[in-house]
Amino acid sequence: MLLKNKKFLTKYTSEVQNLLSDTTTDYSSEILNLYKFIKETDKKKGKVIIFGNGGSAATSSHFSVDLMKNAKIKSLNFNEADFITCLANDFGHDNWVKKAFEFNTNKSDFSILLSTSGNSKNVINAANYLKRKKFNFFILTGMKFDNNLKKINPTNSIWVNSMAYNQIEIVHHFILLAIIDMIIGKSVYKA
């Protein structure tokens, strides 16, 4: 059993390393654009709003807190239980994220949407709202290259070429936290 698990871990590590390498190489321009958009938002005194469901919600929270605390850039995520249940109850699950953006976004803000599959209806509805209002936003997805979310904003997007949920989320998490360290200018600092 231990040998089997060790082989699994070795293979898994290799897969994640390859995904990280491929994604950061193939999307280096987009990663640098994401960095630039965040810096420009800060200069305009705007805030960075980030959202994802499930594991992507955890990534969103981590990124948002570190962006505010360590990089000193205003940030917001929609992970408060009372906020989610209120909007989902009043506007439905497919529309609550769109309503959250309606209530909290203005032209000086920059939004980031995460969806491992790129097919989460509530994230797609939010992206369509942001596009219709001509707000600046960025998308991180995985799974199928032509997923529905990526089609909404193909220029400002990063796609992870994998069908493995956790591995896609690891790459998204890595990219976002690497951008925070780029903003700070170092990877070792007092948190």
Side-chain angles (χ1 to χ4, degrees):
M1 181 62 87
L2 286 177
L3 182 59
K4 181 181 175 186
N5 287 338
K6 185 175 180 179
K7 286 180 181 177
F8 179 88
L9 184 59
T10 300
K11 182 177 182 283
Y12 194 91
T13 301
S14 177
E15 290 169 355
V16 171
Q17 287 172 332
N18 289 335
L19 275 177
L20 279 169
S21 178
D22 292 347
T23 306
T24 56
T25 299
D26 295 346
Y27 289 92
S28 61
S29 295
E30 290 80 0
I31 293 168
L32 294 174
N33 280 339
L34 182 51
Y35 163 86
K36 182 184 81 167
F37 289 140
I38 293 168
K39 292 289 285 181
E40 288 172 354
T41 300
D42 186 44
K43 283 183 188 166
K44 293 186 298 190
K45 305 288 187 219
K47 64 189 171 297
V48 176
I49 304 172
I50 184 167
F51 177 78
N53 291 307
S56 296
T59 296
S60 297
S61 289
H62 187 166
F63 172 80
S64 182
V65 168
D66 279 8
L67 192 63
M68 282 188 295
K69 180 181 175 280
N70 298 329
K72 311 294 187 233
I73 294 176
K74 289 184 222 163
S75 186
L76 176 67
N77 67 83
F78 305 134
N79 288 336
E80 295 292 326
D82 56 337
F83 183 66
I84 294 167
T85 56
C86 172
L87 295 185
N89 183 63
D90 292 352
F91 302 105
H93 182 268
D94 289 349
N95 292 309
W96 83 265
V97 181
K98 177 184 77 140
K99 293 307 275 187
F101 277 99
E102 284 181 30
F103 293 142
N104 288 286
T105 309
N106 62 56
K107 290 283 185 188
S108 63
D109 296 335
F110 174 67
S111 300
I112 303 169
L113 299 171
L114 309 177
S115 175
T116 303
S117 70
N119 292 315
S120 302
K121 187 69 174 165
N122 60 352
V123 181
I124 290 168
N125 288 342
N128 281 323
Y129 167 77
L130 293 168
K131 184 175 183 173
R132 189 170 53 257
K133 296 300 260 180
K134 296 183 174 29
F135 289 145
N136 197 10
F137 68 103
F138 207 96
I139 292 168
L140 284 84
T141 65
M143 303 228 166
K144 294 183 180 176
F145 180 77
D146 61 345
N147 65 67
N148 291 319
L149 187 58
K150 189 172 177 294
K151 288 177 187 175
I152 296 169
N153 195 7
T155 305
N156 291 328
S157 69
I158 295 169
W159 172 71
V160 180
N161 186 8
S162 175
M163 296 298 286
Y165 277 98
N166 285 338
Q167 292 183 9
I168 294 165
E169 289 173 350
I170 288 167
V171 174
H172 288 172
H173 205 100
F174 175 88
I175 289 168
L176 291 168
L177 296 187
I179 288 171
I180 289 173
D181 288 350
M182 274 192 265
I183 291 167
I184 294 167
K186 55 188 172 183
S187 58
V188 177
Y189 45 87
K190 184 174 177 154

